[in-house]
Amino acid sequence: MEIEKIIQDKNLKLTSARKEILEIFLNSQKPLAYEDIKDKITMDKATFYRNISKFEDKAIVHSFESNDKKRYYEIQSTPHAHFICNNCNTIECLQDVINFEIKNHIVQDILIKGICEVCFLKRV
Amino acid sequence: MEIEKIIQDKNLKLTSARKEILEIFLNSQKPLAYEDIKDKITMDKATFYRNISKFEDKAIVHSFESNDKKRYYEIQSTPHAHFICNNCNTIECLQDVINFEIKNHIVQDILIKGICEVCFLKRV
DNA sequence: TTTTTAAATGCATCTAAGTCGCATTTAAGA
DNA sequence: TCTTAAATGCGACTTAGATGCATTTAAAAA
Ligand SMILES: [Mn+2]
Ligand SMILES: [Mn+2]
Ligand SMILES: [Zn+2]
Ligand SMILES: [Zn+2]
């Protein structure tokens, strides 16, 4: 099974907590915070945070902090920027690659904040 | 005096707490968090946060959250992106304008995370 | 299959940046 | 000088996430 392979390929013990977490993130189209999934999982929050942190170490999951002071996680796929609405807090994955270089720097993450389409059109 | 004018032009009461805060930020070349300045100011932290928040409302100050879970503030000047090092947490103001548009969105803030020049050169 | 053990888990407790309620003080206009 | 709304200090509170520790479990060895 896909999920089990991902876990074992990184030399992680195959536990039900880990399968539960990955199942949810693999089926989500958007980044999720602990808050968003706590009712769908059975493990303690300490277990969630310890595992998601391990997934990050192993480059299975990527995360960033949003405006609501919560950390959002998503399966690490092709790198892409995120847009966070300062009005409604919605997070968008920007699939159109924004790329630029900064000499002698490594760009790992791009976070753009502003007003999203929904809020923008409401205000016009 | 410059500082007093900034405060009064925004119809804010001229208090010593406000003068102290602005003095520090006007003389800083980089964004600062409460932690960075708490020993240089005499007011309570509630007063600092209430005032800096008011400065933001009045567009005197601009802020963003960094990797260390702290909010950094700087005098609002020409809009520019910030680079935050995932290794050493240093914050750089990127004066070279990075600009792009996203249709039907308003871009208000650009945060780039990665490896800064110092850390990059150390690793080579 | 049974044994072994390091890693994973649940639960309670802690952390720390930032917020809030309230009594007191102060800026600034009348 | 008097008045009053706004600002301040202080203590208590909030909340996402981290941590210590006793117990459980995956998985490799025997
Ligand atoms: Mn994404
Ligand atoms: Mn800056
Ligand atoms: Zn929005
Ligand atoms: Zn660095």
Side-chain angles (χ1 to χ4, degrees), chain A residues 12-26:
Chain A
L12 293 176
K13 269 195 189 177
L14 187 63
T15 67
S16 54
R18 286 175 183 162
K19 284 189 274 183
E20 266 185 71
I21 295 172
L22 271 195
E23 175 90 50
I24 289 171
F25 283 96
L26 282 168

Side-chain angles (χ1 to χ4, degrees), chain A residues 79-124:
Chain A
H80 55 270
H82 290 100
F83 186 92
I84 298 168
C85 181
N86 284 328
N87 189 238
C88 71
N89 284 344
T90 295
I91 297 166
E92 273 174 75
C93 300
L94 298 179
Q95 299 299 351
D96 294 345
V97 181
I98 293 168
N99 80 323
F100 51 85
E101 292 190 356
I102 306 172
K103 82 160 183 250
N104 286 340
H105 289 63
I106 301 172
V107 173
Q108 294 175 332
D109 228 326
I110 302 170
L111 272 185
I112 299 156
K113 298 186 182 181
I115 306 299
C116 78
E117 181 158 20
V118 173
C119 294
F120 177 79
L121 294 176
K122 268 186 197 155
R123 286 178 179 196
V124 178

